């Protein structure tokens, strides 16, 4: 059974960098062909995919957040990390890490998420 657990500060000041770590157990983050994603949900809004790091170490980012987002990993600890710079109160959200699978079929990619962390609330406020 794969388990994911987010950790990091619950309060970040505006203009600072938000940093969260996801620790994975029950499976390796280098296992073919999984991707490890960060997804957030602002209050009263839907889920927003932020980015992912692949089993290979390649990274993928949402175009709307790409300039402020960095995802990295520590394979020795089986962890991956999100950094979001220059945060504003609009970045207040519950942040989730999740395991992602991608399938290519008939010219399109399909994405699914089978394991999620419990989520961690991050509030951006002075």
């Amino acid at each position: 059974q794969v388990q994911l657990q987010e950790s990091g500060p619950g309060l970040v000041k505006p203009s600072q960098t938000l940093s969260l770590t996801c620790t994975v157990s029950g499976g390796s983050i280098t296992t073919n062909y999984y991707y490890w994603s960060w997804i957030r949900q602002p209050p009263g809004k839907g889920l927003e995919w932020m980015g992912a790091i692949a089993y290979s170490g390649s990274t993928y980012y949402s175009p709307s957040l790409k300039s402020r987002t960095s995802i990295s990993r520590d394979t020795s600890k089986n962890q991956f990390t999100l950094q979001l710079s220059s945060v504003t109160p609009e970045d207040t959200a519950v942040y989730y890490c999740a395991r992602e699978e991608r399938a290519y079929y008939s010219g399109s990619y399909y994405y699914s998420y089978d394991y999620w962390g419990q989520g961690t609330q991050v509030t951006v406020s002075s």
Side-chain angles (χ1 to χ4, degrees), residues 7-126:
S7 60
L11 180 65
V12 182
K13 288 183 167 53
S15 79
Q16 292 187 342
T17 296
L18 179 163
S19 183
L20 297 174
T21 295
C22 183
T23 301
V24 180
S25 59
S28 172
I29 63 173
T30 61
T31 299
N32 297 344
Y33 294 97
Y34 293 113
Y35 299 74
W36 303 89
S37 298
W38 286 100
I39 297 165
R40 68 180 182 179
Q41 185 168 30
K45 297 185 179 181
L47 295 169
E48 178 182 22
W49 181 84
M50 301 180 69
I53 186 163
Y55 56 96
S56 62
S58 297
T59 52
Y60 306 83
Y61 299 108
S62 166
S64 65
L65 295 171
K66 186 175 182 178
S67 64
R68 299 196 291 132
T69 306
S70 177
I71 298 175
S72 59
R73 67 180 184 175
D74 185 336
T75 56
S76 68
K77 296 180 180 179
N78 216 34
Q79 295 175 333
F80 61 105
T81 298
L82 168 73
Q83 290 193 310
L84 181 67
S85 64
S86 304
V87 297
T88 72
E90 285 66 42
D91 293 309
T92 294
V94 177
Y95 286 75
Y96 298 93
C97 54
R99 191 176 78 169
E100 177 182 304
E101 292 185 87
R102 300 181 178 186
Y104 185 76
Y105 180 74
S106 296
S108 297
Y109 277 99
Y110 296 86
Y111 305 85
S112 60
Y113 303 87
D114 54 356
Y115 292 101
W116 294 70
Q118 64 183 25
T120 187
Q121 172 70 46
V122 177
T123 300
V124 180
S125 175
S126 55

